[in-house]
Amino acid sequence: MASQSTSLATNALIKKALDLRDDSLSRITPPLALNHLPEPLPQNVRGIPNEILEKEEIEITSLEANEILNAIRTKKYSCVTVCKAFLRRAALAQSLVNCITEVLPEFALERAAYLDSLDEPVGPLHGLPISIKEHHGMFGRMKTCGYVAYIDEDHSGVSAVNDVLWAAGAVFYARTTMPQTGMHLETSSNIYGVTLNPYNLSLTPGGSSGGEAALLALRGSVLGVGGDSGGSIRGPAANVGIYGFKPTTGRVSRRGARVAPGGDGIIGSHGPMTTSRSGLSLFMRTYCNSQPWNNDPALVPLPWREVKLPTKLKIAFLWNDGIVMPHPPVRRALDDVAKALRRHPDRFEVVDWVPLDHAKADDIAMGLYFEDGCRAIKEVLKKGGEQPRPLTQWIFDNERVKHKTIEEVWEFKARRNEYRQQYNDYWLATGDVDGHPVDAIISPAAPGAAYPHNKATYWLYTSQWNLLEYPGSSFPVTTVDPELDVKDESYVPKNSRDRENYDLYDPIIFKDATVGLQIITRKFEDEKNLAILEAVEIAMGRT
Amino acid sequence: MASQSTSLATNALIKKALDLRDDSLSRITPPLALNHLPEPLPQNVRGIPNEILEKEEIEITSLEANEILNAIRTKKYSCVTVCKAFLRRAALAQSLVNCITEVLPEFALERAAYLDSLDEPVGPLHGLPISIKEHHGMFGRMKTCGYVAYIDEDHSGVSAVNDVLWAAGAVFYARTTMPQTGMHLETSSNIYGVTLNPYNLSLTPGGSSGGEAALLALRGSVLGVGGDSGGSIRGPAANVGIYGFKPTTGRVSRRGARVAPGGDGIIGSHGPMTTSRSGLSLFMRTYCNSQPWNNDPALVPLPWREVKLPTKLKIAFLWNDGIVMPHPPVRRALDDVAKALRRHPDRFEVVDWVPLDHAKADDIAMGLYFEDGCRAIKEVLKKGGEQPRPLTQWIFDNERVKHKTIEEVWEFKARRNEYRQQYNDYWLATGDVDGHPVDAIISPAAPGAAYPHNKATYWLYTSQWNLLEYPGSSFPVTTVDPELDVKDESYVPKNSRDRENYDLYDPIIFKDATVGLQIITRKFEDEKNLAILEAVEIAMGRT
């Protein structure tokens, strides 16, 4: 999808990447009967795999990660059979929503056959197909971070997370799209074009881990790895009805991922995206218990710890961050979950979370994400002969994105540190009266369901927690229902961004879009976060 | 000791600080018989307290921290009696080596009396007098970081470490000197002048926690708190024959300390300085088990963990960092310890540590300590109307200290991260053959014993480990003996800094100076570090 202004050299680079992708897809066997796809595709394509795939493939790809591992362990399915099913389903997903940069049929099947040949499992992920966001280094395979210029860079190096997954028995079979820069809540690049939301092709699956999200939503994967510096796991997970977890900074390695040069004011985290809640803890337990800090001095030496929740949980709801009012389906989702918790007064106390100056967090975050006013990013675009995508341009145009001196960066970091301290004190103070501070916040993952393409510009429901380095898990709650989620015509927006978001809402445009929420706990309370997610889902009537 | 070029306003500020100090000393009761001091003072003043103090005071201040706590617990001494003894001994130390910015007689005695009035100890440090480096905030008391300009700043805020010590029952009674900038291996400021080494007044006690070191060496304290960004705990500890521990970054809070604005490329750590090895673990255990991370989001949630050492320890000796050859007494200290370990071949394997490009570490560190080429420091000096001290000027003149752009800082940080990774891999690779990587490195704490004033300019034997964020403990080994530590006249220096250090050595000049070494373990192996220190000292015949 190169623009008309790209040069021949740029077009040749893009062709190289697309040829690599298409060639890899062409080697999937048996070939998919793509001529059976409805034309045009319906807006919601989630039902299509069941019409195209074989019965056993559908059965296998309907299992959750733990079930797949169990089926392999009990020899119900071989690793090869499982791998083939996911390869085919991933390739089909690509035809529907454009979420794949490359499938790895020979590599994956050879690995699966090797695992099948062993008498004992190599580790807790023995035979599990795992999909990976494309900029995470994988044995020398092309990694671009959505930049044309990086197509021809040195691709050596392996993601440290991939190393752990590999040692635990994972099968890598699919690599997924991400946006130019990796800093969009959208997934579009000049290399691979636009990734679509399987629930509604007119909407984005979010970003930057939107390829993973779209693939998982179509069950072309049940466990994938993304990364999150401003919402890039939690946003897309919420946008497609799956689970996503951004761990505390320092628990999961970021080694071996390609990004444009930048500062360290807000450090992201890789993390799991899964079709099941249990998939999140499967990943985190396996990963953290491998003692990854031995190999990455940026990590803290915390194994995945047992956690004992209080008998009664104090859960705070963030209804509105004080800047942008969430759309009606998001407010309904919050309300539904709050009601579910209130039905168990012995187990939950529900309170409101009054946001502590989130506007300040937004100012600090936008200053620190782009210390250089995007000069380095612009250089990479220039080198690749490519134009900024719309949401890249949106960043460039943001008035808070300016080139800074080191003294200005010091000042931003001083404000950041002070704000982190204030927020910590503020959180602890919620226990002043009863000695029991809030256990978790339940927050929107965005001020709306999945947005129309190029419209997701409000990061703060997720980036707030990146700035604070708090862990956050997204979980699915509901889908947009035009009858229930009518527009509040009486609402008067409080500022220009609130108006922009308000004006975007039309229940017909967002039809079928999923709504997820986030559970936020304090820094390093990763284990507690997932334990509370389980408690909340049980209260919601899930198992 | 203001220079002649200071203004009246500057002189007034300095007078304010000195009056505060002198006034506090004048309130010590009963007054010290300072007219009994020998005149002139001998070079080595360590014997003087026994000639001036009362018998019981000498007895009390000869006890180690654990013994004092026990004596208070068993009511052998009251907290007040202990406090009075240390107040008097600290005041005497001030007369000998100029290490005090303020004593706190009323505040400390009131606290001690309160503790005496209780039926039960308030915590594990009940009644223990603890001295504190002056820039650690203490209930609104003046904190200057050695800058004249900061004498009149807002002094509110309490050091987060002090908060923990206070809750554990500590008695704060003395605050100690530090150099202008806090970035010297020396302790001299335009406010308080020069702090001297009790073993030899012609030498420095090191810095920046040199006030603590000098006070501890005279047993005017048995447990103090310093800070270390480039060697500021370990250097002075080695220079005066005491123990000092720089924990891994992120284990001990730095909140509430005053410093000049700067970057975050190398983050220091507060830590204990003690007259006894057991004092280090007393501090660390008490501090970490207070869950300090609850109140400081920059900390990692690691309690003080039990550690089980391997049956046989692999200890590597860093004889020379490849840049500056240590002086003969330091080489002898290394040799003595290596011999002691080799006498226990069932317990220790002794190997050499081949440094991995420490020159690169030095380049990176000097770039990151002073991102702005010291502009901010110069501003603070200018505001205070003061001249740079010689070792401040040495920093200003360092050719690697330049104002940088943020892109240059990114580059330095990228090199830092890469180097940290390389060093980690390199360390792990020491186990390639036998599966047992090196457990600890024993390294010089400096390329010489305590230096003559204004000559300690080589940081890298300590700053190496700050850059890597590895924990390091200094322990005393020997003192300079002119007969044993003759100058190697045949040595040919390898570079200008090696020559500078070589030329400085003269066993007569360094007479009586103590030599300490450091134990270095991998990042977050703080518990292992102190356990190995114990094992090494036992092998050395200590208890």
Side-chain angles (χ1 to χ4, degrees):
Chain A
M1 305 224 176
S3 80
Q4 292 179 322
S5 64
T6 55
S7 70
L8 287 176
T10 299
N11 288 332
L13 281 174
I14 293 172
K15 182 170 186 304
K16 177 177 171 177
L18 295 181
D19 283 352
L20 183 76
R21 177 192 71 187
D22 294 344
D23 185 54
S24 77
L25 288 161
S26 75
R27 298 195 309 273
I28 298 272
T29 56
L32 289 154
L34 295 179
N35 51 341
H36 292 181
L37 289 180
E39 200 167 343
L41 289 171
Q43 282 287 84
N44 184 331
V45 297
R46 287 191 72 244
I48 291 180
N50 283 357
E51 296 164 22
I52 303 281
L53 298 173
E54 302 298 325
K55 184 163 169 290
E56 189 183 63
E57 290 171 335
I58 294 167
E59 276 172 13
I60 290 170
T61 54
S62 299
L63 299 174
E64 299 302 354
N66 281 327
E67 296 168 328
I68 291 168
L69 289 168
N70 197 43
I72 290 171
R73 216 171 287 124
T74 59
K75 305 218 185 282
K76 180 173 179 188
Y77 299 119
S78 70
C79 298
V80 166
T81 303
V82 168
C83 180
K84 277 186 174 167
F86 278 98
L87 277 166
R88 293 239 307 158
R89 191 153 184 152
L92 177 57
Q94 166 60 19
S95 300
L96 300 173
V97 294
N98 191 34
C99 57
I100 294 286
T101 67
E102 186 179 21
V103 285
L104 309 165
E106 300 83 2
F107 176 73
L109 289 168
E110 187 187 331
R111 166 78 169 164
Y114 165 75
L115 294 172
D116 281 331
S117 76
L118 301 175
D119 292 333
E120 294 294 328
V122 300
L125 303 180
H126 187 90
L128 185 69
I130 293 184
S131 52
I132 307 283
K133 190 178 181 182
E134 80 91 36
H135 72 139
H136 298 192
M138 191 183 283
F139 305 108
R141 306 210 66 84
M142 182 190 296
K143 49 184 178 179
T144 69
C145 192
Y147 291 108
V148 172
Y150 288 161
I151 291 172
D152 256 356
E153 288 278 307
D154 168 32
H155 299 300
S156 59
V158 179
S159 142
V161 170
N162 286 354
D163 268 347
V164 172
L165 300 176
W166 183 263
V171 176
F172 299 134
Y173 70 107
R175 303 176 66 229
T176 59
T177 51
M178 63 181 291
Q180 184 186 59
T181 75
M183 295 298 286
H184 304 176
L185 292 176
E186 163 89 23
T187 298
S188 87
S189 72
N190 290 323
I191 307 170
Y192 301 107
V194 179
T195 301
L196 311 177
N197 188 320
Y199 282 84
N200 181 332
L201 298 184
S202 303
L203 304 175
T204 178
S208 67
S209 311
E212 282 301 320
L215 180 64
L216 285 151
L218 284 165
R219 301 196 73 89
S221 172
V222 293
L223 199 167
V225 185
D228 188 323
S229 303
S232 286
I233 286 174
R234 292 159 295 154
N239 287 349
V240 301
I242 63 164
Y243 296 83
F245 184 54
K246 181 204 85 68
T248 302
T249 308
R251 293 211 67 177
V252 177
S253 179
R254 299 161 67 241
R255 280 182 64 195
R258 164 156 290 143
V259 291
D264 58 2
I266 297 174
I267 297 177
S269 180
H270 291 182
M273 302 172 73
T274 61
T275 50
S276 61
R277 184 182 71 234
S278 60
L280 298 182
S281 37
L282 172 69
F283 174 97
M284 290 303 297
R285 190 172 55 245
T286 303
Y287 178 76
C288 292
N289 288 348
S290 77
Q291 308 196 321
W293 53 86
N294 257 322
N295 299 306
D296 183 346
L299 300 184
V300 298
L302 290 172
W304 193 247
R305 300 161 293 178
E306 290 298 315
V307 62
K308 191 170 161 16
L309 294 182
T311 313
K312 187 166 176 175
L313 291 163
K314 190 188 277 193
I315 306 292
F317 280 73
L318 177 65
W319 301 94
N320 180 345
D321 72 356
I323 306 167
V324 171
M325 168 68 87
H327 287 164
V330 177
R331 298 207 300 274
R332 178 168 61 82
L334 287 164
D335 201 47
D336 284 354
V337 175
K339 277 181 185 148
L341 301 191
R342 285 200 186 96
R343 279 195 292 271
H344 304 272
D346 52 323
R347 187 79 180 102
F348 295 98
E349 179 186 357
V350 174
V351 299
D352 294 331
W353 187 261
V354 181
L356 178 69
D357 202 353
H358 285 204
K360 185 196 273 185
D362 198 34
D363 278 340
I364 297 169
M366 291 308 285
L368 289 175
Y369 280 128
F370 307 103
E371 290 182 2
D372 70 339
C374 295
R375 277 192 201 169
I377 290 173
K378 287 174 185 173
E379 274 302 306
V380 180
L381 296 185
K382 190 175 162 197
K383 190 177 169 205
E386 62 174 321
Q387 296 299 311
R389 302 291 297 189
L391 290 182
T392 306
Q393 189 62 51
W394 175 84
I395 297 170
F396 293 170
D397 294 341
N398 189 304
E399 62 184 14
R400 290 171 302 170
V401 174
K402 291 178 190 145
H403 191 277
K404 296 173 198 66
T405 63
I406 53 165
E407 289 85 356
E408 288 168 333
V409 171
W410 292 355
E411 178 63 26
F412 268 97
K413 286 184 170 174
R415 289 178 63 205
R416 175 200 66 187
N417 294 348
E418 184 186 56
Y419 185 73
R420 286 176 175 172
Q421 187 66 53
Q422 286 169 343
Y423 219 95
N424 186 65
D425 296 346
Y426 181 74
W427 188 310
L428 290 179
T430 60
D432 279 354
V433 171
D434 59 0
H436 186 152
V438 158
D439 290 296
I441 301 170
I442 295 188
S443 156
Y451 280 79
H453 292 289
N454 299 322
K455 296 296 185 190
T457 57
Y458 191 73
W459 305 2
L460 195 60
Y461 278 100
T462 43
S463 60
Q464 172 73 28
W465 317 113
N466 294 93
L467 180 74
L468 294 171
E469 302 192 318
Y470 293 176
S473 54
S474 280
F475 62 107
V477 176
T478 187
T479 54
V480 175
D481 180 334
E483 290 196 15
L484 291 173
D485 302 319
V486 294
K487 185 155 182 157
D488 177 1
E489 300 291 350
S490 70
Y491 180 72
V492 180
K494 305 289 184 289
N495 56 63
S496 63
R497 285 194 289 174
D498 197 22
R499 164 152 311 277
E500 194 180 326
N501 189 62
Y502 175 78
D503 288 348
L504 271 171
Y505 186 65
D506 174 341
I508 302 305
I509 289 177
F510 285 87
K511 185 169 182 304
D512 279 0
T514 69
V515 179
L517 297 174
Q518 277 181 98
I519 290 177
I520 301 296
T521 45
R522 295 176 64 219
K523 191 172 173 186
F524 287 118
E525 290 186 342
D526 301 87
E527 294 85 347
K528 184 174 181 178
N529 191 301
L530 296 190
I532 290 178
L533 171 59
E534 181 179 11
V536 167
E537 288 213 317
I538 287 171
M540 290 167 70
R542 298 175 181 174
T543 52
Chain B
M1 306 224 177
S3 79
Q4 293 180 320
S5 64
T6 54
S7 68
L8 287 178
T10 299
N11 287 332
L13 281 174
I14 293 172
K15 181 169 186 305
K16 177 177 173 177
L18 296 181
D19 284 352
L20 183 76
R21 179 193 68 187
D22 294 343
D23 184 55
S24 76
L25 288 160
S26 74
R27 299 196 308 273
I28 299 271
T29 53
L32 289 154
L34 295 179
N35 52 339
H36 293 182
L37 287 180
E39 198 167 342
L41 289 171
Q43 282 287 84
N44 185 330
V45 297
R46 286 190 73 241
I48 292 180
N50 283 357
E51 298 164 20
I52 303 283
L53 297 174
E54 301 298 326
K55 183 162 170 290
E56 189 183 63
E57 289 171 337
I58 294 168
E59 275 171 15
I60 290 171
T61 54
S62 300
L63 299 174
E64 300 302 353
N66 281 326
E67 295 168 329
I68 291 169
L69 288 168
N70 197 42
I72 290 172
R73 216 172 287 124
T74 58
K75 306 218 185 282
K76 179 172 181 191
Y77 300 119
S78 70
C79 298
V80 166
T81 303
V82 168
C83 180
K84 277 186 173 166
F86 278 98
L87 277 166
R88 292 238 308 157
R89 191 154 183 150
L92 176 58
Q94 166 59 19
S95 300
L96 300 172
V97 293
N98 191 34
C99 56
I100 294 286
T101 67
E102 186 179 21
V103 285
L104 309 166
E106 300 82 3
F107 175 72
L109 288 168
E110 186 186 330
R111 166 77 169 164
Y114 164 74
L115 294 172
D116 280 331
S117 76
L118 300 176
D119 292 332
E120 294 293 329
V122 301
L125 303 180
H126 188 89
L128 186 69
I130 293 183
S131 52
I132 307 283
K133 190 177 181 182
E134 79 92 36
H135 71 140
H136 298 191
M138 190 184 284
F139 305 108
R141 306 209 67 84
M142 183 189 295
K143 49 184 177 180
T144 70
C145 191
Y147 292 109
V148 172
Y150 288 162
I151 291 172
D152 256 357
E153 287 277 306
D154 168 34
H155 298 300
S156 59
V158 179
S159 143
V161 170
N162 286 354
D163 267 346
V164 172
L165 300 176
W166 183 263
V171 176
F172 299 134
Y173 69 107
R175 305 177 64 228
T176 59
T177 51
M178 61 181 291
Q180 185 187 58
T181 74
M183 295 298 285
H184 302 177
L185 292 177
E186 164 88 23
T187 298
S188 88
S189 72
N190 290 323
I191 307 170
Y192 301 107
V194 179
T195 301
L196 311 176
N197 188 320
Y199 283 83
N200 182 333
L201 297 185
S202 303
L203 304 176
T204 177
S208 66
S209 311
E212 281 302 319
L215 180 65
L216 284 150
L218 284 166
R219 301 196 73 90
S221 171
V222 293
L223 200 168
V225 184
D228 188 323
S229 302
S232 286
I233 286 174
R234 293 159 295 154
N239 287 350
V240 301
I242 62 163
Y243 296 83
F245 184 53
K246 180 205 84 68
T248 301
T249 308
R251 293 211 67 178
V252 178
S253 180
R254 300 161 67 241
R255 280 181 65 194
R258 165 157 289 145
V259 291
D264 58 1
I266 297 173
I267 297 177
S269 181
H270 291 184
M273 301 172 74
T274 60
T275 50
S276 60
R277 184 182 70 233
S278 59
L280 297 182
S281 37
L282 171 69
F283 175 96
M284 290 303 297
R285 191 173 54 245
T286 302
Y287 178 76
C288 292
N289 288 348
S290 77
Q291 308 195 322
W293 54 86
N294 257 323
N295 299 307
D296 183 346
L299 299 184
V300 298
L302 290 172
W304 192 247
R305 299 161 295 178
E306 289 299 314
V307 62
K308 191 171 160 14
L309 293 182
T311 313
K312 187 166 177 175
L313 291 163
K314 190 189 278 193
I315 306 292
F317 279 73
L318 177 65
W319 302 94
N320 179 345
D321 71 357
I323 306 167
V324 171
M325 169 68 86
H327 287 166
V330 177
R331 298 208 298 276
R332 177 169 60 82
L334 286 165
D335 201 46
D336 283 354
V337 176
K339 277 181 186 147
L341 302 190
R342 285 201 186 94
R343 279 196 292 270
H344 303 273
D346 53 324
R347 187 79 180 102
F348 296 98
E349 180 186 356
V350 174
V351 299
D352 293 331
W353 187 261
V354 182
L356 177 69
D357 202 353
H358 286 204
K360 186 197 274 186
D362 198 34
D363 278 340
I364 297 169
M366 290 309 285
L368 289 174
Y369 281 127
F370 308 103
E371 291 182 2
D372 70 340
C374 296
R375 278 192 201 169
I377 290 173
K378 288 175 184 173
E379 275 303 307
V380 180
L381 296 186
K382 190 175 161 198
K383 190 176 170 207
E386 63 174 320
Q387 295 299 312
R389 303 292 298 190
L391 290 182
T392 306
Q393 189 63 48
W394 175 84
I395 297 170
F396 293 169
D397 294 341
N398 190 303
E399 61 184 13
R400 291 172 301 170
V401 173
K402 292 179 189 145
H403 192 276
K404 298 173 196 68
T405 63
I406 52 166
E407 289 84 357
E408 288 169 331
V409 171
W410 292 355
E411 179 64 26
F412 269 97
K413 286 185 171 175
R415 289 177 63 205
R416 175 199 67 186
N417 294 348
E418 185 186 55
Y419 185 73
R420 286 175 175 172
Q421 186 66 53
Q422 286 170 344
Y423 220 95
N424 186 65
D425 297 346
Y426 181 75
W427 188 310
L428 290 178
T430 60
D432 278 355
V433 172
D434 59 0
H436 186 152
V438 158
D439 291 296
I441 301 169
I442 295 188
S443 157
Y451 281 80
H453 292 289
N454 299 321
K455 296 296 185 190
T457 57
Y458 191 72
W459 305 1
L460 196 59
Y461 279 100
T462 43
S463 60
Q464 172 74 27
W465 317 113
N466 293 94
L467 180 74
L468 294 172
E469 303 191 319
Y470 293 175
S473 54
S474 279
F475 62 107
V477 176
T478 187
T479 53
V480 176
D481 179 335
E483 291 197 15
L484 291 173
D485 302 319
V486 294
K487 185 155 182 158
D488 177 1
E489 299 291 351
S490 69
Y491 180 71
V492 181
K494 305 289 184 289
N495 55 63
S496 63
R497 285 194 289 174
D498 196 23
R499 165 153 310 278
E500 194 180 327
N501 189 63
Y502 175 78
D503 288 346
L504 271 172
Y505 186 65
D506 174 341
I508 303 305
I509 290 177
F510 285 85
K511 185 170 181 306
D512 279 358
T514 70
V515 179
L517 297 174
Q518 277 181 100
I519 289 177
I520 301 296
T521 45
R522 295 176 65 220
K523 190 172 173 186
F524 287 118
E525 290 185 343
D526 302 86
E527 293 85 347
K528 184 174 180 178
N529 190 300
L530 295 190
I532 290 178
L533 171 59
E534 180 179 12
V536 167
E537 287 212 318
I538 287 171
M540 290 166 70
R542 299 176 181 175
T543 51

